[in-house]
């Protein structure tokens, strides 16, 4: 059986989707995954992601955010 730990939950300002991050720890084999749950109304999209893929995703998202970051003056 897996143990689920809540990590973070937030709502997107545009679109209003709810994002929930959970850690899934499997007793058998000791594997841990990051669960990403996206709720849009009554619909859920769920990804269980391994640490290597999370790192790749974070790197890609950071590059995108850095390229689109607004300056202090709003431009």
């Amino acid at each position: 059986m897996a143990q689920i730990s809540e990590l973070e939950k937030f709502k997107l300002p545009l679109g209003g989707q709810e994002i929930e991050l959970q850690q899934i720890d499997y007793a058998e084999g000791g594997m841990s995954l990051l669960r990403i749950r996206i709720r849009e109304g009554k619909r859920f999209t769920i990804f269980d992601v391994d640490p290597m893929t999370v790192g790749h995703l974070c790197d890609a998202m950071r590059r995108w955010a850095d390229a689109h970051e607004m300056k202090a003056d709003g431009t």
Side-chain angles (χ1 to χ4, degrees):
M1 178 160 212
Q3 180 173 342
I4 300 173
S5 303
E6 302 294 328
L7 299 176
E8 187 153 353
K9 189 175 187 177
F10 54 94
K11 193 171 192 174
L12 298 180
L14 300 174
Q17 296 90 343
E18 294 178 8
I19 309 292
E20 189 173 349
L21 303 177
Q22 302 172 323
Q23 181 169 320
I24 311 299
D25 294 311
Y26 292 95
E28 297 176 19
M31 179 191 284
S32 292
L33 297 174
L34 177 69
R35 176 167 289 169
I36 304 168
R37 293 173 43 121
I38 304 170
R39 181 178 179 182
E40 298 178 88
K42 294 182 181 181
R43 181 180 137 175
F44 284 90
T45 302
I46 300 171
F47 300 97
D48 289 344
V49 189
D50 64 278
M52 185 183 297
T53 303
V54 169
H56 182 78
L57 180 61
C58 287
D59 290 343
M61 292 173 76
R62 173 52 48 204
R63 286 191 303 274
W64 183 90
D66 289 346
H68 294 87
E69 190 171 24
M70 293 180 67
K71 297 181 178 139
D73 63 5
T75 61

